[in-house]
Amino acid sequence: MSAPVPVVVIGAGRDGLRQARLVADCAGLELAAVIDPADSARERASDAGFPTAADLDEAPPGVAGAIIALPVTTRAAAAEAVAARGLAALTDRSLAASLRDARRIRDAFARSGAPLLVGHHRRHHPAVAAAREAAQGGLLGRLVAADAAWILRQPEDQGGFAWRVRSGAGAAMTQLANDVDLLRWLMGDIASVCALTSRATPQSPETDSAGAVLRFRSGALATALMSSVGLSPWGWEAATGDGDEVARTGEDCLRLVGSEGAMSLPSLTYWRHNGAGRGDWSRPLSRLPLPSPALDARAAQLDHFARVARGEIAPLVTGEDALLSLAAALAVEESARTGKVLTPDPDRADAWEPTAAAIFRGLSAPALPGPAPAPEADPDADADAETDPKKD
């Protein structure tokens, strides 16, 4: 058996401490330190029984990997520092909050040659692997449609972990990137999106509900409905028990529909026509539950990361792949804002960048006082001077 890979967890917030606990239980990894520059954060990690450090330079020698558990809005610089040291990296959740930061992170690891695994952990769930195999293997026929739901009412009291940076996107939009990535993984690349969003009240600081229609390059369609103010049993964490803070319901939250059958996740319930000839709405369907082993997808992701850090396998979710999912999620957000049908483009500027550029141009320093500029020369006079034979 290979020796555990020593890793650090960067960030001692809620996500960072959860990752540290998972690392402590992972046979393939060894926790070297939880890194956070804030004294209070390091104290919290120390109280939980974890070794701590203020920055990467204070980490114990021999560290081979880093789990970046900082907020998605503030992690780009830390990711670049990890890449510069040649460490294998796992980002908690998605790659970044903006296309610009996502490209920075992707490019930093491409330059260094260090492996990057992006934390879309749902791909590591065995039900997702089985559904992808069924979809690609023709069990469902030609994929026609899908729908994903994440409708879980967020607690009003978030406990002792206040968000350090609030993006204004809200829980619904934060979850959207995960569901969009899962739909991409199962159905292929997205050709266009259109969406609407809403807030519980006009005064709400965040978008709390979003609905999107996605059109895939194959021609299949999917809907994704997200809300952090609706009380329901439907959402990935509720379905799988993938989050300690969400009570498990076991109710499916994603459905795939093909020309020859349908499947719901994560239960892997499979619907098909058993009789002779092709099925249609006049013929009965059979319901067949397929085996779906229970597994903690986050723990499976860490096992995968250990193998990535040892150079045994390639990352399941690369930076380039995650950038495509982020581009699709941000296109959904921009479509809701503009009312346009958009094509996801990972190379485009973020929606706020042109506005920011205009603001900074307006704030540019005025010219310093100096001598008056010389009067402009008369171009005709210059021409005469060049052709006058009396002048040297």
Side-chain angles (χ1 to χ4, degrees), residues 312-372:
E312 297 174 357
I313 55 174
L316 181 67
V317 191
T318 65
E320 186 67 35
D321 193 8
L323 177 59
L324 293 173
S325 292
L326 178 63
L330 292 179
V332 168
E333 192 170 359
E334 188 174 352
S335 171
R337 182 176 59 83
T338 63
K340 298 178 180 178
V341 177
L342 297 177
T343 298
D345 180 3
D347 296 320
R348 70 178 297 171
D350 289 294
W352 47 266
E353 287 189 85
T355 301
I359 291 173
F360 283 113
R361 280 197 301 272
L363 294 176
S364 60
L368 295 175

Side-chain angles (χ1 to χ4, degrees), residues 89-91 93-95 116-121 124 301 317-319 322:
L90 164 64
T91 65
R93 304 181 188 271
S94 55
L95 185 58
L116 171 64
L117 171 64
V118 181
H120 287 298
H121 68 280
H124 296 270
Q301 178 179 249
V317 191
T318 65

